[in-house]
Amino acid sequence: MKPMNLLALLVLTLIISGCATTGDPNRLNAFHDAQPKSILVVPPVNDVTDVQATTSVLATLPYFLGEKGFYVFPVNTVKTMLEFEGYYEPAEVHAAPPEQLANLFKADAVLYVTIHEWTSKYMVFATTTQVDFGYKLVSADGATLWEDRLQAQYSPNNNGGGGLIGLIVDAVEAAVERANPTYIPLTKTVHAQALVTPAGVGSHRGIPVGPYHPGYSAYYSQVTQASGEATND
């Protein structure tokens, strides 16, 4: 990711929270055992009414997985092939056996995403835009390799000051956010937090690097060393 692009995500006035398996030293053991090379991103289940949410997630997610070193099947091709196989609704895809989905594409793992929230709440002098995504990565044999859930919200910096002029400035900023919510930057920020965060031994968030990442060999050397030290203890 280009430094300026990452900076643009981080300078937003936002709040990020999540419920990863924090504190679990074994949270990535299954991932380390599987070491997937290719990931199939299936259409997200959208629990909100805005269809833009699904499009935005699918349009941005492959980039972050690619940055992490994995081959990602083209999402448009995936959608077409799934429909050819009779899977027209995301809920049907998520309910299908992961072994069956992975076999269709010869994928090593399947990534499921659920969009829990995608809203922009307008209150005249303040607008808050919020997204909430759940992630679950499952191996081709049906084992859960990694899962996480993250929420992020953004409210414009209301720096109009006091008095009538300050209120007018705040109202304008809120109206601008309402008219054009920062969904895409928030979506990218959540993906980055969930996936790109370094997943070192003892890390609470992020996934390990894939085989097309320059740090792949070094990472798994550390994993092997840490596993050996744990066994000796």
Side-chain angles (χ1 to χ4, degrees), residues 28-105:
L28 294 175
N29 284 359
F31 197 112
H32 293 155
D33 291 339
Q35 294 188 35
K37 297 179 176 62
S38 60
I39 295 178
L40 172 67
V41 179
V42 297
V45 166
N46 189 354
D47 288 342
V48 300
T49 57
D50 192 340
V51 294
Q52 179 191 349
T54 298
T55 303
S56 299
V57 169
L58 284 179
T60 54
L61 192 53
Y63 170 81
F64 292 93
L65 291 170
E67 284 287 292
K68 202 70 177 186
F70 298 97
Y71 173 77
V72 185
F73 294 87
V75 293
N76 290 331
T77 302
V78 169
K79 183 176 184 295
T80 300
M81 289 190 64
L82 288 174
E83 289 177 351
F84 181 79
E85 294 293 328
Y87 296 108
Y88 294 96
E89 297 296 330
E92 296 175 341
V93 178
H94 284 228
E99 300 90 338
Q100 181 177 336
L101 296 175
N103 186 59
L104 282 174
F105 298 87

